[in-house]
């Protein structure tokens, strides 16, 4: 942490929010992600069922910090591509094999109760498909194994009659996260014909709340994550699409949403979580909402209205001394909060010395990786190899 500048008088003066920011420990955060690519620590075992997402967070951290070239050897690059394609089936990707903590007595009788069991997901999953396509773009894969027709079929099959999207057909778990993932897949394919777009836009509209944010599902409470998902999805609809007018906020809606998002940022000098964003009204700041709310404001062209220096200071405080970023100061780090904090910093750029790549807030990737994904996912396929 940096010390106050000479003569500054601290609390209440507003001086502290102009202090130089602590350094971003990029080498430590990259090392945390490289460690997690090899295997999650025991404290993060509950994240193991989302291995594809972990791969996306870790590889994207390497990308945004410009370390992908240096940290991923040709051998690792090849084996990571192979591992991702091993999770490909029926047009989409699943999360990969995982271990989970089980309360079943049969899982580990010798321990007399809870134990660790190996599980395997095999059906394609919409969120994991989004993560896999982006992770492959970071690895500059050519998607030669991708069956575009089957991918479109899978995404279309995940859409419900009311316009929402489920993680898998028939899962009954529709919410705005999957709407966002479906829209990204359509944007990467450059083809929106596999989904009922008017119905999907109507679903998003029904998730909008009186506060100006969006709930996870219709009639839900405003939350930072779904608000990002809704706004990114709306702005992914191409300007020349017949549905584009339906996908833009009215002026009054824009004002309400910007206002709600800005209110999620704690005052720079707040005693707890100062400068950070909360995910909902009356909650404490959490590093990941620096991305969900910060990127949402950037999408609305209002990124300059948030206090970037204060958010940068909060994210810097969430850095763990041995690398990785946690949801709040003093907590244990994980790849999810590490990546989203770095992605937030890439968007708001609180300190040029942090030296991050810019970020495409709609796709959630560097512009170069987003461009690669669009060019190669949409490319006319060779004969599918499997
Ligand atoms: Zn969080």
């Amino acid at each position: 942490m940096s010390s106050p500048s000479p003569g500054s008088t601290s609390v209440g003066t507003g001086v502290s929010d102009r202090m130089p920011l602590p350094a971003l420990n990029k080498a430590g955060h990259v090392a945390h992600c490289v460690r997690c690519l090899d295997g999650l620590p025991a404290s993060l075992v509950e994240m193991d069922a989302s291995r594809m997402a972990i791969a996306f967070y870790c590889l994207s951290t390497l990308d945004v910090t410009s370390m992908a070239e240096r940290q991923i050897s040709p051998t690792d690059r090849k084996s990571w591509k192979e591992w991702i394609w091993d999770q490909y089936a029926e047009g989409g990707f699943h999360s990969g094999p995982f271990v989970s903590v089980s309360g079943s007595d049969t899982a580990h009788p010798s321990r007399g109760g809870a134990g660790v069991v190996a599980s395997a997901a095999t059906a394609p999953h919409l969120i994991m498909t989004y993560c896999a396509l982006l992770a492959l773009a970071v690895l500059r894969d050519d998607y030669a194994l991708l069956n575009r027709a089957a991918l479109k079929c899978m995404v279309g099959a995940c859409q419900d009659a009311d316009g929402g999207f489920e993680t898998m057909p028939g899962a009954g778990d529709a919410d705005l996260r999957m709407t966002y993932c479906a829209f990204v897949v359509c944007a990467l394919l450059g083809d929106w014909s596999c989904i009922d777009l008017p119905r999907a836009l109507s679903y998003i509209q029904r998730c909008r709340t009186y506060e100006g944010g969006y709930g996870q599902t219709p009639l839900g409470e405003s939350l930072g994550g779904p608000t990002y998902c809704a706004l990114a999805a709306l702005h992914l609809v191409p300007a020349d699409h017949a549905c584009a007018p339906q996908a833009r906020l009215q002026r009054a809606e824009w004002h309400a949403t910007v206002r709600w998002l800005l209110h999620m940022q704690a005052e720079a000098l707040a005693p707890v979580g100062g400068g950070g964003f909360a995910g909902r009204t009356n909650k404490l700041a959490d590093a990941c909402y620096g991305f969900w709310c910060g990127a949402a404001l950037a999408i609305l062209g209002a990124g300059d209205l948030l206090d970037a220096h204060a958010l940068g200071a909060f994210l810097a405080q969430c850095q763990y001394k041995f690398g990785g970023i946690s949801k709040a100061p003093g907590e244990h780090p994980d790849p999810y909060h590490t990546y989203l904090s770095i992605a937030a910093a890439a968007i708001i750029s609180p300190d040029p010395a942090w030296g991050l790549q810019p970020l495409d807030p709609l796709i959630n990737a560097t512009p170069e990786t987003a461009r690669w994904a669009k060019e190669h996912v949409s490319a006319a396929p060779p004969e599918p190899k499997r």
Side-chain angles (χ1 to χ4, degrees):
M1 296 289 289
S2 59
S3 54
S5 54
S8 69
T9 50
S10 74
V11 183
T13 64
V15 169
S16 65
D17 66 354
R18 293 194 298 273
M19 290 193 302
L21 290 178
L24 183 70
N25 179 13
K26 278 196 289 188
H29 305 326
V30 165
H32 171 75
C33 288
V34 169
R35 280 196 299 275
C36 289
L37 277 171
D38 282 340
L40 289 171
S43 60
L44 297 178
V45 72
E46 76 278 5
M47 296 181 81
D48 200 45
S50 307
R51 274 193 195 180
M52 189 64 76
I54 304 287
F56 165 66
Y57 303 138
C58 292
L59 292 170
S60 295
T61 298
L62 269 54
D63 200 22
V64 180
T65 53
S66 309
M67 298 296 262
E69 280 298 316
R70 214 179 307 170
Q71 291 284 334
I72 310 176
S73 67
T75 313
D76 285 349
R77 187 176 296 268
K78 182 169 174 289
S79 70
W80 270 107
K81 286 183 188 180
E82 286 171 358
W83 181 84
I84 294 171
W85 283 111
D86 281 346
Q87 319 315 321
Y88 178 66
E90 300 163 43
F93 296 81
H94 51 78
S95 62
F98 58 93
V99 296
S100 58
V101 177
S102 165
S104 159
D105 286 349
T106 58
H108 250 286
S110 61
R111 294 180 192 168
V116 174
V117 292
S119 308
T122 52
H125 183 290
L126 196 42
I127 296 176
M128 299 307 150
T129 297
Y130 160 82
C131 291
L133 292 174
L134 268 293
L136 287 168
V138 172
L139 295 166
R140 303 296 187 252
D141 186 78
D142 62 5
Y143 302 96
L145 298 172
L146 186 66
N147 183 335
R148 276 92 178 156
L151 173 61
K152 284 190 251 182
C153 209
M154 191 277 281
V155 173
C158 286
Q159 189 169 22
D160 279 339
D162 73 346
F165 289 83
E166 304 170 320
T167 53
M168 319 177 189
D173 56 0
D175 69 48
L176 279 177
R177 292 171 305 160
M178 284 74 84
T179 298
Y180 167 71
C181 292
F183 278 40
V184 171
V185 174
C186 290
L188 296 183
L189 286 164
D191 183 345
W192 295 75
S193 63
C194 60
I195 66 170
D196 185 333
L197 187 52
R199 224 182 269 253
L201 293 173
S202 154
Y203 180 88
I204 296 173
Q205 183 61 33
R206 292 201 307 282
C207 292
R208 190 175 168 83
T209 77
Y210 71 95
E211 287 185 292
Y214 292 76
Q216 191 106 311
T217 53
L219 304 178
E221 175 193 10
S222 282
L223 299 170
T227 299
Y228 165 81
C229 290
L231 296 171
L234 292 173
H235 285 76
L236 280 165
V237 178
D240 58 357
H241 195 286
C243 291
Q246 204 190 330
R248 298 292 179 264
L249 297 189
Q250 301 296 314
R251 192 179 179 80
E253 290 177 322
W254 184 93
H255 279 285
T257 303
V258 168
R259 182 175 179 277
W260 181 78
L261 285 165
L262 291 173
H263 273 93
M264 291 303 101
Q265 186 171 26
E267 293 282 339
L269 297 175
V272 180
F277 275 82
R280 61 176 85 172
T281 305
N282 283 329
K283 291 287 181 180
L284 292 176
D286 174 328
C288 66
Y289 292 106
F291 174 81
W292 300 125
C293 297
L297 284 162
I299 288 168
L300 292 175
D304 55 341
L305 298 180
L306 65 83
D307 187 338
H309 186 278
L311 175 55
F314 174 75
L315 296 175
Q317 283 177 25
C318 294
Q319 299 185 99
Y320 188 60
K321 59 184 171 183
F322 301 121
I325 301 177
S326 54
K327 68 176 184 179
E331 306 259 356
H332 281 287
D334 61 72
Y336 170 83
H337 288 94
T338 300
Y339 172 64
L340 289 178
S341 299
I342 287 175
I347 289 174
I348 63 167
S349 191
D351 186 337
W354 285 12
L356 299 169
Q357 293 285 328
L359 202 86
D360 178 334
L362 296 181
I363 302 286
N364 194 0
T366 63
E368 221 172 301
T369 295
R371 202 176 311 120
W372 178 280
K374 281 180 191 162
E375 281 176 18
H376 292 80
V377 172
S378 65
E383 283 301 305
K385 292 177 187 170
R386 57 170 165 174

